[in-house]
């Protein structure tokens, strides 16, 4: 069955450092992969989408890579700030119907 | 800005009660989704709809039903609430794939079944 794995342990980093979160998947051939941010008690908010034929995508301090051979996406936040503290979810879609399968998310804590 | 609203932020119900969770979106999106989110299990799809009066089962439809009588409104129904349905319920909407694949979420309803 399809499986998406994100590190369940919280990631604690110091302000100003680069945070790197990992999303691995098996038994899936996604047409695209998305990253969402979720704050406590709120719904997820879309951040970035990367398609299967793209290696890398950037948006301000965010960078996403997508390796369909390794079946892995890396999500980077450069110059991290305490305001970046949240849970980050990856989601995969096969296309043609817009149904997504979500990972369980990784909690990021940026400390002063 | 896309806005997805849910009828309640917090809800407490008793076992056996019929529960209605309502979701409304204001962007004329075709697609709407209901998820539940539990610690360690992530977001799980309950039902989704691609059009008015149309519905498809997600990964965990048992114990739930849905209704989509109007394009902007998608309701989740718990016919007879049980304690294992205590969870955070999230509604989302999106436009067809050729426009965008992004899903827009509501704020969530935290349902407690006693």
């Amino acid at each position: 069955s399809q499986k998406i794995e994100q590190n369940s342990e919280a990631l604690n980093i110091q302000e100003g450092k680069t945070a790197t979160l990992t999303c691995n998947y098996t038994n899936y051939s996604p047409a695209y992969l998305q990253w969402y941010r979720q704050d406590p008690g709120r719904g997820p908010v879309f951040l970035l989408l990367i398609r299967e034929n793209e290696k890398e995508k950037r948006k301000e301090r965010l960078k996403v890579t997508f390796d369909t051979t390794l079946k892995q996406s890396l999500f980077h936040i450069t110059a991290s700030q305490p305001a970046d503290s949240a849970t980050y979810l990856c989601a995969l879609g096969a296309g043609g119907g817009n149904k997504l399968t979500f990972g369980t998310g990784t909690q990021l804590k940026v400390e002063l | 800005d896309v806005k997805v609203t849910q009828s309640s932020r917090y809800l407490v119900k008793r076992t056996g009660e019929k529960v209605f969770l309502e979701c409304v979106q204001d962007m004329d999106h075709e697609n709407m989704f209901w998820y539940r989110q539990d610690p360690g299990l992530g977001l799980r799809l309950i039902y989704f709809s691609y059009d008015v009066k149309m519905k498809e089962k997600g990964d965990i439809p048992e114990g739930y039903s849905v209704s989509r009588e109007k394009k902007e409104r998608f309701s989740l129904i718990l016919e007879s609430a049980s304690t294992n349905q205590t969870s955070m319920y999230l509604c989302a909407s999106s436009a067809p794939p050729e426009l965008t694949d992004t899903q827009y979420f509501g704020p969530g309803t935290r349902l407690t079944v006693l």
Side-chain angles (χ1 to χ4, degrees):
Chain A
S1 61
Q2 298 167 355
K3 198 173 180 184
I4 301 172
E5 288 185 347
Q6 293 186 256
N7 196 339
S8 58
E9 290 182 15
L11 177 64
N12 297 325
I13 65 165
Q14 224 174 3
E15 184 180 20
K17 302 289 186 186
T18 296
T20 299
L21 285 70
T22 304
C23 176
N24 294 299
Y25 61 92
T26 56
N27 298 323
Y28 209 120
S29 296
Y32 53 82
L33 186 147
Q34 302 184 18
W35 283 89
Y36 289 76
R37 169 187 173 137
Q38 186 174 23
D39 292 290
R42 294 184 173 273
V45 175
F46 170 78
L47 296 174
L48 279 170
L49 178 150
I50 186 164
R51 298 188 187 278
E52 59 178 336
N53 59 351
E54 298 174 318
K55 296 282 187 200
E56 184 179 294
K57 208 84 169 276
R58 290 174 186 260
K59 180 182 176 184
E60 297 172 354
R61 295 185 295 112
L62 308 180
K63 184 178 90 171
V64 173
T65 62
F66 194 12
D67 189 324
T68 55
T69 302
L70 290 179
K71 296 186 182 297
Q72 182 182 79
S73 174
L74 298 178
F75 177 79
H76 306 273
I77 305 175
T78 58
S80 58
Q81 305 164 0
D84 295 326
S85 298
T87 296
Y88 291 86
L89 307 170
C90 71
L92 277 68
N98 208 12
K99 191 172 69 161
L100 298 176
T101 302
F102 284 84
T104 54
T106 297
Q107 186 179 12
L108 172 67
K109 294 179 184 176
V110 181
E111 298 161 340
L112 293 168
Chain B
D1 271 357
V2 175
K3 194 165 184 186
V4 179
T5 57
Q6 295 183 227
S7 49
S8 306
R9 289 302 307 273
Y10 300 93
L11 208 52
V12 180
K13 295 291 181 181
R14 296 212 173 270
T15 301
E17 280 193 78
K18 191 168 186 176
V19 181
F20 292 88
L21 302 182
E22 296 228 309
C23 174
V24 177
Q25 50 94 3
D26 67 356
M27 278 299 292
D28 202 35
H29 282 172
E30 271 80 6
N31 307 327
M32 296 190 75
F33 307 82
W34 273 107
Y35 297 89
R36 64 178 282 177
Q37 187 174 33
D38 301 287
L41 296 177
L43 278 166
R44 293 181 292 167
L45 182 64
I46 304 172
Y47 267 98
F48 58 103
S49 169
Y50 291 143
D51 204 350
V52 175
K53 296 194 186 296
M54 177 270 170
K55 61 186 179 186
E56 296 239 5
K57 292 180 180 179
D59 300 317
I60 52 162
E62 297 78 19
Y64 303 94
S65 62
V66 290
S67 172
R68 188 142 181 227
E69 296 295 320
K70 292 185 178 181
K71 190 175 185 179
E72 68 271 17
R73 190 179 298 267
F74 192 33
S75 301
L76 180 69
I77 303 151
L78 287 66
E79 294 289 342
S80 178
S82 63
T83 55
N84 62 12
Q85 292 179 309
T86 291
S87 186
M88 169 70 96
Y89 289 88
L90 288 157
C91 173
S93 73
S94 70
E98 61 269 24
L99 297 179
T100 174
D101 299 321
T102 300
Q103 289 194 10
Y104 297 87
F105 284 83
T109 295
R110 187 164 293 281
L111 172 67
T112 301
V113 183
L114 301 174

